[in-house]
Amino acid sequence: MEDTVTAAEAREGRAVAEDAVFDQAAEAAPQKKQKKPINQAKLQDNLWGWIFCIPLIVGTVWFVYICLVLAFMLSFTDYSAFSTMADGTQASIFKYVGEWAKHIMVNPSTGKTAPFYWYTWAFNNTIMSKTMTGTRLKEIWLYLFNTVFYMIGIPIGMILSMFFAVCMSRDIKGGNVFRVLYYIPCVASSVSIVFTFKTMFSQTGVMNSLLGLRGYGNGGGFQWVNLSGATDLTWNKIISDTGGKVTSRAAFMNESFWCQGILTKTVIIVMSVWKGLGGTIILYIAGLSGVNAATKEAAQIDGANGWTIFWKVTMPDLYPVIFYNIVTSVIGGMQIYAEPTLFIGESYITSGYVSLIYNYGIGSGVNSKPSQGAAYGMILAVIIFVLTMFQFWLDSRNKD
Amino acid sequence: MENIETMENQVPVSEEPQYSSIRYAWGAVLAFFGISSRTHRASKKRAKFVADIFTYIILLFGAFLMVYPFWWMIAGSLADTEMTGGKKLLESLIWWPQQSTFKSDFAGKGGIFFNYLYFFQNGMKPINGTLTFWRVLLNNLVYSIVPVVIGVITSASAAFSFAKINWIGRNAVFYFLLAAIMVPGPSLMTAQFAMYDALGWRENGLVLIIPGMFGSIMTAFFIRQFLFGLPTSIIEAARIDGAGYFRIFCQFILPLAMPAIMAQGLLSFMGCWNNYMGSFIMIDGNSNAVNLPHAIAAMDGYGAGGIMDNHYGAVIAASVVCVLPVLILFACFQKLIIGSLMLTGSKE
């Protein structure tokens, strides 16, 4: 018996020893032997990693980075649709940029090379005011003011969507249905929505019926969307009813650019808040579901009321979502173009900054100069970059 | 200790008689509506019930505001505006048009759908005389299906590579691509315009097809987030069994990430379907390559108005035609889309 046991033990022991030897060999030997296969796998990783990425890399480099370089180079030249090359042929952008150094902008009045001509031009160009006879206004500031004015909608939208998100994330039946309903405007075409809102805010429209303003003024109804303002009492242009004589308050309103078209702008803000609400609500609901429930409960037991819990527990947890929302909204808000233009057409009273890029660069037919538009575009890029960095700076200061 | 106890006992006893009967009754009323006061403590159940009712009222009101303009749109598309000042008549619509197309006048001319028929027949006149509605619809379908289907697959492949394959320079390339989001589109607008012009993509509408086929960074980013949630062991097992990466992508990643890919694809489809800016800026306003929102905007003179004022119902009908497919699609896939948005929201 004992013999067998010891034999078995010995066998086992030998096996263990053999295993150990084998293990050692397996550890030591493959480092030499299997080196090649491992490299093969790595090679595969690298190869396929790049292959899978290549479409996106090509697309991004081509349509963003190369275009950025092209735009930057163009902004120092006088390129237009009718530019000619040195040999007199019609210029395409690739050929033109190829001999870029020959086409650096020349100041037409002095005859000297002025690479930053379009930049200085952008900041110096004035336009004749339509409402103040004889007054010239610096164009770029008007358009920038409009752009910034539309950003009033960002805090309004944030507060409203926070409110609705808190309502929806309560423990009620059918919360998901509301989520879907509120998201509908986000998927609808902005062209359709602009036409609907324009008609709803017209003189005899729904809004005036609701507010009892259909018989306002001379019976035509209150004019929300109006920039000429010659016939009606509006904040767009307040003229007293009797004979168009300008009253003192009206004079202030008329001559101050800040008040022109303020109702039209308000309607556009209402529309963009309405359209963007659903997306932000969903963002906040997602954020609210991540708020630590245990902390909330602890605060409740300690006797904090709902308001305190919201500000002291929920809001700090939501901070990343809110910050992300602000950053993206400001970047998007700086690029507003389609809504004001579709609402009332192109006008320095309502249009956003992107209108300048479009008008000078593309939209004015024979006279349009992509180079000039590119200079405006570079200014916009710098503004957005500075604004975004400023927000990140504020964020980092907040965290310290 | 004793002092405190006596104090605690005394406080309610001494304060109880101070309440007047009116105050007491008011407290009872408040308690009925779930609000606790000094005299009455409301039950938690009642408080929740009342708060729920208020929540429902607020949410229903908001939902009404969200949906009403769409109802207005549909009602407006059934208004009879075939007269001078037709636009003015349409403007006074609240629930139902004063003069709708439910009239014998329109028999044989589309009946109730007169405005739609008018839009199909004459809506493209402001663009050019020979353009038909079907051509514009086809344009819009091509612009929103081809780049989205191909673009989502290229985005997903990039996402797969970023999430599951280790390759040299992966992070550098990722941040290089992510930085491109910071570049504002309007800044590149004129250079892109000149480039597409030189390539000859503006006349045939390739400008709205080819750039989208290379995929979008945001889509790739979101699918990458989704793929992080999938176990890597599947891929390793497949690798050991001898499957190549291409096969893994086609047979494992695409089916497994289908919810994320579908949701992102649907969202980009809606974006492309509604892409007014792209068409307006890049495509000539008189060419046959315009898309549907562009054609609708042209019906109103791009906001300046005046073109279709005597047939304004047709403009509203066109708006409905543009919105309806997207709404139907959203209604069918709302769970998928909202779920994907929630996921991206919580990942932020």
Side-chain angles (χ1 to χ4, degrees), chain A residues 71-99:
Chain A
F72 186 68
M73 288 171 85
L74 273 190
S75 68
F76 300 117
T77 68
D78 193 20
Y79 181 77
S80 81
F82 292 87
S83 291
T84 45
M85 305 296 294
D87 56 359
T89 53
Q90 172 91 35
S92 86
I93 187 170
F94 302 118
K95 279 197 256 168
Y96 197 82
V97 169
E99 43 186 74

Side-chain angles (χ1 to χ4, degrees), chain A residues 45-46 65 170 173 182 198, chain B residues 52 56 168 176 245 300:
Chain A
D45 276 4
N46 277 315
Y65 286 115
R170 278 174 55 89
K173 273 177 195 161
Y182 282 59
K198 212 162 109 177
Chain B
D52 278 1
Y56 273 120
I168 300 161
F176 174 72
Y245 272 120
D300 199 49

Side-chain angles (χ1 to χ4, degrees), chain B residues 176-207:
Chain B
F176 174 72
L177 294 184
L178 211 58
I181 299 173
M182 299 286 174
V183 182
S187 300
L188 314 174
M189 209 159 80
T190 52
Q192 282 175 338
F193 179 86
M195 190 180 77
Y196 296 140
D197 202 43
L199 293 169
W201 289 359
R202 285 183 56 234
E203 292 81 13
N204 44 24
L206 284 178
V207 55

